[in-house]
Amino acid sequence: MQLTAATILIGGEAGQGLATVGHLLTKTLVRAGYDVVVTQDYQSRIRGGHNTFAIRTTLPGEGPRVAAPSASVDILVALNQETIDLHTPALTPGGVLLMGQAMSAHDVNALAVPYKELIPKPIFENVAALGVLCGLLGLDRAHPARLVTEQFQKKGQDVIDQNLAVLAKSHDWVEQQPHGFGPLAKAPARGEHLALNGNEAVALGAMAAGCTFCSYYPMTPATSVPMMLAAHAETVGIVVEQAEDEIAAVNMVLGASYAGARAMTATSGGGFALMVEGVSLAGMTETPLVVFLSQRPGPATGLPTRTEQADLTLALYAGHGEFPRAIFAPGTIEQCFHLTVHAFNQAEKAQTAIFVLSDQFLADSVRNVEPFDLAALPPAVLPDRSDDAPESYQRYAVTESGVSPRRLPCAGQSLVVLDSDEHTPDGHITEDLAVRVTMHEKRLRKHALLRTDAIPPDYDGPPTPDLLLACWGSTLGAVQEAAALLRAEGQAVGVLHFTQVWPLNPDHFLPRFAQAGKVVMVEGNHAGQLANCIRMETGFAMTQCITRYDGLPFTARYILDRL
């Protein structure tokens, strides 16, 4: 019987090459036309520990697009005995275990792969594993062969030929085994798709937005964003600076932004905690600031390589004093790209701090997406490039919207004065308390602008659902899948996904809540942080909050078990 979906879990120690095999198989599946969702679970160490790389693949068009991990496994690839001991219970009845010949398993369908016979030396083991997996899944041999050829192109034809020989031998071997595993149904032809994780999409979004400066201090799971920007820095014209710490990083961004750069920083909760004074400086100086904040479990170092959604209130209240800000929370790879573009424009439009709030699950989750349409992007919002009437120019002129014309220093005759103290409209320090009130109210009026521009949450479902599942950020896929399973049972279920979690516009969601029989918030923290924000802003109390804070991403099963 041919399958329309399968979950492949590769487990072993860090340093055994499981991620390499996983990425090769992911690219092969995408090129063969399948949808994929990758979940990486790894410990905070260079070598050792128990890590997994899980690929959930589905045939496109077979029901709603799946965008969450699965609790069950169809193919378990064990690179060590610990993987068998830990994950065999998750193996489905028709599943198969691939293991080394020195390992042991009981009462499951298992194949002991003779790697020593398939490869001339250990360095070929990853390609052999790819060949076995492609053979087991019934994938066209041309897809992995082309990928391997590209992978080793720089090493010469001899290396390519050796790897292709291992690939073919491994593929042949598994086809001769009585494994009983049904292959995947052939995927229909479709246009080009990219295999991207969330951080790669954020970096591409920053490039598309015209980012010209990024300063950061390394912190998992955000670091791959500046790393990707650095890899393409010369091509697209970006300066990427690894600062001595997060305090320097955020202040470098402010300096660059003040001078006219499209600037951002990337960090996680612990690093962001050090940046908050800089965030406050952005509020007072009205300097555009884009912060990519990729969440992981805290407090302190917490679980540095696991996922959580517990920094919403940190981003919301970061910085002393009162000043406006907006917080975006992508739930898909496409939203990672487009919300990053939007963040740059909103930062310039409102001249304040804007956050893109992601997490480890989304950062490391590879999925297939269609190429982004760059021509369809909105025009970039840029500083005032005019130099009209420079003698009367005031950097902090009082306006109805609260947004003052932002000219760049040394770009003309206009004098641009900036100060972190309270200041007059022309930028000079003041302790005139009446001016203080005027300037404070001017800055706070920008909150109304951000609220007017707030992106409404996406809704999917009947007009009056019996159950409304609300969520934000990366929980979207699991919530959508849980809703689909409940609908298949005949229940009227709606899904409301927030991609902007601050400011909130109650007109966008309160009518939905009122039309639902029961409203349940699903979010990855203990407190129900977005549910609390909604209650604070509107007085609306959720019927139930389903939370998760064990470092793992939501699955549909986890949600259904708690409803």
Side-chain angles (χ1 to χ4, degrees), residues 214-228:
C214 175
S215 182
Y216 74 105
Y217 187 76
M219 191 167 189
T220 302
T223 307
S224 59
V225 169
M227 289 294 95
M228 185 168 175

Side-chain angles (χ1 to χ4, degrees), residues 185-209:
K186 187 175 177 59
R190 66 180 180 189
E192 181 184 8
H193 274 223
L194 308 174
L196 292 177
N197 65 36
N199 275 10
E200 289 170 334
V202 167
L204 288 175
M207 294 182 214

Side-chain angles (χ1 to χ4, degrees), residues 113-132 162-163 165-171 173:
V113 183
Y115 285 109
K116 290 184 179 177
E117 298 174 17
L118 297 175
I119 58 177
K121 45 188 174 182
I123 197 172
F124 293 95
E125 193 165 328
N126 291 338
V127 173
L130 177 66
V132 171
Q162 291 181 63
N163 280 280
V166 169
L167 187 70
K169 191 174 181 180
S170 305
H171 205 127
W173 176 83

Side-chain angles (χ1 to χ4, degrees), residues 210 212-213 239 250-264 285-289 348 382-385 393 395-396 406-412 416-418:
T212 53
F213 183 84
V239 173
V250 71
N251 285 308
M252 284 183 181
V253 170
L254 291 176
S257 182
Y258 167 68
R262 300 271 275 182
M264 71 175 293
T285 60
E286 304 187 47
T287 305
L289 170 65
E348 185 63 49
L382 299 171
D384 177 9
R385 299 285 181 178
Y393 172 72
R395 170 64 187 95
Y396 300 110
R406 188 170 90 93
R407 295 182 181 176
L408 303 180
C410 304
V416 181
V417 180
L418 170 144

